[in-house]
Amino acid sequence: MITASQLRAGMVIRHEGQTYKVLLADYHPGQGKMGGAAHTRLKNLGTGTIWEHSFRSDLKLEDLPVDRRSMEFLYSDSDSHYFMHPETYEQVAIPLSAVADHAPFLEAGMRLGVEFVEDAPVSVLFPDVLEVRIAETTPPIHQQQDNTWKAARLENGMEVMVPQFIKIGDSIRLDVQNLKYMDRAKSAGK
């Protein structure tokens, strides 16, 4: 058991019989006789819904252990993504909702962290930055216009905004959380 003031992002808790993953936790201490409050954004692991709630700072919550395992992505079908443990060859089906917007970045053989709570997979951990290749964009403009952007389609079909100098076939580094261009990837030959 932990108090609400000890909540941190990434923890998994049980509240009123439901299991939640803490996405955001912000503690505000009280003033004088007024107690503090923990403002949280929680994801219900059963339904996938997001819930914003404020807890009294002294409220006791059940903290559930989170087991993180490195697993290799195999394939997807209409309702699940399938991962394999590289040492035991155990295969696990993970619901599409656990990957959500990041599903287009999954490639066969990719190793990612998978979080388990009570031996059930709850989420897939993607790296902060991925290198991706540009499949389609307008021709580059080589001028001193650093503040203009253009649309580009990645090899996986997603569309992102990139600077004017990017051309088809370039590799870029992409911020996976925000799906935004960071910089051009350094090539192995340079």
Side-chain angles (χ1 to χ4, degrees):
M1 299 292 268
I2 62 167
T3 61
S5 62
Q6 297 171 320
L7 287 176
R8 300 291 174 260
M11 295 176 106
V12 176
I13 59 169
R14 184 168 287 133
H15 178 64
E16 296 178 351
Q18 298 287 322
T19 306
Y20 297 96
K21 180 172 182 178
V22 179
L23 302 176
L24 184 72
D26 194 18
Y27 174 66
H28 297 280
Q31 297 176 353
K33 292 184 180 181
M34 193 169 97
H39 301 287
T40 60
R41 181 174 295 140
L42 306 170
K43 180 178 182 180
N44 186 318
L45 296 178
T47 63
T49 57
I50 304 294
W51 182 44
E52 293 200 13
H53 188 69
S54 295
F55 295 104
R56 290 186 337 270
S57 63
D58 58 349
L59 181 68
K60 298 277 187 191
L61 299 165
E62 183 181 354
D63 181 27
L64 300 174
V66 178
D67 181 25
R68 290 177 178 87
R69 301 178 200 162
S70 176
M71 302 193 87
E72 186 175 316
F73 174 70
L74 296 175
Y75 65 95
S76 298
D77 64 14
S78 61
D79 59 332
S80 296
H81 298 291
Y82 293 89
F83 286 80
M84 176 185 69
H85 193 282
E87 294 164 8
T88 64
Y89 302 107
E90 171 192 4
Q91 291 188 16
V92 177
I94 298 176
L96 297 176
S97 62
V99 179
D101 299 337
H102 298 88
F105 295 110
L106 289 173
E107 296 176 4
M110 180 183 250
R111 285 210 178 178
L112 297 168
V114 178
E115 291 183 328
F116 289 82
V117 174
E118 298 174 336
D119 284 331
V122 294
S123 65
V124 177
L125 304 172
F126 279 82
D128 293 334
V129 177
L130 277 177
E131 282 192 19
V132 292
R133 189 172 300 276
I134 302 294
E136 182 182 323
T137 189
T138 57
I141 297 175
H142 297 285
Q143 294 177 351
Q144 294 294 43
Q145 294 179 346
D146 294 338
N147 60 351
T148 58
W149 297 76
K150 63 181 179 179
R153 186 172 309 282
L154 305 176
E155 286 182 335
N156 62 14
M158 293 194 77
E159 197 165 295
V160 296
M161 298 301 286
V162 296
Q164 292 289 339
F165 59 84
I166 298 293
K167 60 186 180 295
I168 295 173
D170 280 356
S171 290
I172 62 168
R173 294 179 59 221
L174 190 72
D175 176 2
V176 176
Q177 187 68 28
N178 302 317
L179 300 177
K180 292 191 184 256
Y181 168 88
M182 291 180 64
D183 58 8
R184 197 182 323 199
K186 308 282 188 264
S187 65
K190 291 184 180 178

